[in-house]
Amino acid sequence: MAAFTFNQYKPMIKFAENLLRKLQEEITRISTAETAAAPKLKLILQAVRSALKQLRTYIQEHPFPRVQDEIDFFKRVKPRFDALRIYYLGKYDLDIRMPAGDTETLKAFYREELRVVQRFFRHVGFYHQYYRLGTTELDGLYFVRGAEAPGVLLPELPDQDPGFSTACDYLFAKIIAFERLQEDLLRALSTLDPAHLTGMEAEAELPALKWTGDKVNLVEVIYALYFTGQLNHGNADLSLIIRFMEKHLEIDLSRAYRDFIDIRNRKVSSPSRYIDQMRESIHKRVDDDLAFKVPRKNNTKSGGYG
């Protein structure tokens, strides 16, 4: 039997990309032609279901040449279809619940919805980082049909068709959709409150800081900040913290997930080795300061500065 090659997967990719393009064009047409929210949502969901049905039929008739191709399909291709359904359901929910009121009322609404989205990202922080960083170590468990992923680590997901789903393809779709909803909420909030973006000009006046220590030490700090909920009242998701550090400390953290696996698997030293060193350094400095402190002499003169 002749070996399969990547060229045999290309027609499937081309079919999926053309199908997605047509679906997006149909959604644009529906959104333009239909103004009422409920009928618009119904037509969009029908279009997404039709596209997914065609996609499912295609992969049934054209088996994946390699496991790598199956992984790519369920990690990168199918979630983009499911994400459209999740996004438009979420958008409809926001539209029908949007309160009538003044600017402050709307701002409070958008901020609360933003917190809901951020709580979701925090809840699935491990998988969100896996998605954002393009990590591959667990792809064989997450994106191969029938593979048994460690269920204790997975959030609760709806029942899926076992012939057309994997442990994490729906979760990736939800992450894609929620990132888009987050962008919508931030855009709406910035329109109502442009001042929330101020401070960037002042930031530009500050001298640049660059992380010059060991990269794994910064990763340890990032995870500590995340696990203890120190940022955004505990609502900052892991990938956001990583991107913030990358931007402001001028460092590539694309391997942060792999570095944390190394930290977690340390056999000899503590998984919080750098934080332990920080604590010891602070204690030493405090002890040195206390030891160096000169006892105050009794002053018999009146007027404390004489």
Side-chain angles (χ1 to χ4, degrees), residues 7-8 37 42-43 45 59 62 67 71 85 90 97 123 142-143 182 192 198 216 219 224 227 236 245 250 267 281 288:
N7 290 334
Q8 292 172 278
K42 180 179 178 180
L43 291 172
L45 294 182
I59 70 164
H62 303 82
V67 173
I71 288 172
R85 182 182 66 83
R97 291 190 299 103
H123 180 61
Y142 290 166
F143 302 105
Q182 179 175 248
L192 293 173
T198 61
V216 70
V219 171
F227 289 141
M245 295 295 188
E250 300 181 18
K267 300 298 184 182
S281 296
D288 290 347

Side-chain angles (χ1 to χ4, degrees), residues 9 66 78 87 100 146 162 220:
Y9 180 54
R66 306 172 303 170
K78 181 173 177 274
Y87 168 75
E220 192 175 311

Side-chain angles (χ1 to χ4, degrees), residues 25-37 39-40 43-44:
E25 291 173 353
E26 177 65 8
I27 290 175
T28 300
R29 186 195 66 77
I30 293 170
S31 299
T32 303
E34 184 60 65
T35 56
K40 181 191 299 185
L43 291 172
I44 289 175

Side-chain angles (χ1 to χ4, degrees), residues 136-189:
T136 60
E137 280 87 345
L138 300 174
D139 281 0
L141 293 174
Y142 290 166
F143 302 105
V144 174
R145 291 167 296 177
E148 295 185 5
V152 68
L153 296 177
L154 289 169
E156 184 176 351
L157 299 173
D159 291 336
Q160 300 285 302
D161 178 354
F164 193 50
S165 64
T166 65
C168 282
D169 68 275
Y170 182 85
L171 181 57
F172 266 38
K174 194 169 183 178
I175 288 171
I176 294 169
F178 270 54
E179 285 193 343
R180 188 174 174 185
L181 287 170
Q182 179 175 248
E183 291 173 3
D184 289 352
L185 290 166
L186 288 171
R187 190 180 304 111
L189 191 57

Side-chain angles (χ1 to χ4, degrees), residues 111-151:
R111 287 184 182 124
E112 177 57 30
E113 295 305 314
L114 197 55
R115 282 192 285 269
V116 171
V117 172
Q118 290 170 344
R119 278 198 296 270
F120 164 74
F121 286 138
R122 180 169 175 78
H123 180 61
V124 299
F126 177 86
Y127 304 96
H128 192 199
Q129 185 191 14
Y130 196 94
Y131 164 78
R132 296 288 302 184
L133 299 180
T135 313
T136 60
E137 280 87 345
L138 300 174
D139 281 0
L141 293 174
Y142 290 166
F143 302 105
V144 174
R145 291 167 296 177
E148 295 185 5

Side-chain angles (χ1 to χ4, degrees), residues 12-296:
M12 183 180 293
I13 291 296
K14 184 175 181 180
F15 174 84
E17 289 178 347
N18 288 337
L19 188 61
L20 181 62
R21 176 179 53 80
K22 292 177 181 178
L23 173 59
Q24 291 169 331
E25 291 173 353
E26 177 65 8
I27 290 175
T28 300
R29 186 195 66 77
I30 293 170
S31 299
T32 303
E34 184 60 65
T35 56
K40 181 191 299 185
L41 176 65
K42 180 179 178 180
L43 291 172
I44 289 175
L45 294 182
Q46 288 176 347
V48 174
R49 280 196 299 268
S50 175
L52 282 168
K53 184 177 180 180
Q54 294 178 62
L55 195 62
R56 187 185 192 285
T57 299
Y58 188 93
I59 70 164
Q60 285 180 327
E61 297 175 351
H62 303 82
F64 295 106
R66 306 172 303 170
V67 173
Q68 297 97 308
D69 302 326
E70 181 177 1
I71 288 172
D72 180 76
F73 177 84
F74 285 106
K75 184 177 184 179
R76 187 181 62 85
V77 179
K78 181 173 177 274
R80 294 159 70 190
F81 288 82
D82 281 321
L84 289 171
R85 182 182 66 83
I86 299 168
Y87 168 75
Y88 282 102
L89 281 169
K91 188 174 185 301
Y92 173 78
D93 180 65
L94 288 174
D95 290 342
I96 64 173
R97 291 190 299 103
M98 187 177 300
D102 58 13
T103 299
E104 291 303 316
T105 301
L106 290 174
K107 284 161 59 176
F109 172 76
Y110 288 133
R111 287 184 182 124
E112 177 57 30
E113 295 305 314
L114 197 55
R115 282 192 285 269
V116 171
V117 172
Q118 290 170 344
R119 278 198 296 270
F120 164 74
F121 286 138
R122 180 169 175 78
H123 180 61
V124 299
F126 177 86
Y127 304 96
H128 192 199
Q129 185 191 14
Y130 196 94
Y131 164 78
R132 296 288 302 184
L133 299 180
T135 313
T136 60
E137 280 87 345
L138 300 174
D139 281 0
L141 293 174
Y142 290 166
F143 302 105
V144 174
R145 291 167 296 177
E148 295 185 5
V152 68
L153 296 177
L154 289 169
E156 184 176 351
L157 299 173
D159 291 336
Q160 300 285 302
D161 178 354
F164 193 50
S165 64
T166 65
C168 282
D169 68 275
Y170 182 85
L171 181 57
F172 266 38
K174 194 169 183 178
I175 288 171
I176 294 169
F178 270 54
E179 285 193 343
R180 188 174 174 185
L181 287 170
Q182 179 175 248
E183 291 173 3
D184 289 352
L185 290 166
L186 288 171
R187 190 180 304 111
L189 191 57
S190 65
T191 301
L192 293 173
D193 186 16
H196 89 285
L197 295 178
T198 61
M200 296 177 67
E201 296 178 1
E203 179 184 331
E205 299 174 1
L206 296 174
L209 289 175
K210 184 174 183 178
W211 183 269
T212 54
D214 290 343
K215 189 179 297 185
V216 70
N217 292 343
L218 179 57
V219 171
E220 192 175 311
V221 171
I222 288 171
Y223 273 84
L225 292 171
Y226 173 67
F227 289 141
T228 57
Q230 300 300 306
L231 302 173
N232 291 353
H233 305 288
N235 293 318
D237 65 86
L238 190 56
S239 63
L240 175 61
I241 299 172
I242 290 172
R243 296 201 306 275
F244 180 91
M245 295 295 188
E246 283 185 314
K247 176 182 177 182
H248 293 279
L249 296 181
E250 300 181 18
I251 187 170
D252 176 16
L253 294 173
S254 59
R255 286 183 50 88
Y257 167 79
R258 299 178 181 86
D259 287 337
F260 181 69
I261 291 179
D262 292 339
I263 290 170
R264 188 183 62 191
N265 294 335
R266 284 172 181 165
K267 300 298 184 182
V268 178
S269 60
S270 164
S272 57
R273 180 176 60 201
Y274 178 60
I275 294 174
D276 294 342
Q277 292 173 358
M278 292 172 66
R279 183 180 64 250
E280 291 171 4
S281 296
I282 292 173
H283 286 176
K284 183 177 185 303
R285 177 55 189 261
V286 170
D287 291 343
D288 290 347
D289 286 350
L290 291 175
F292 181 75
K293 191 173 182 180
V294 178
R296 182 180 297 176

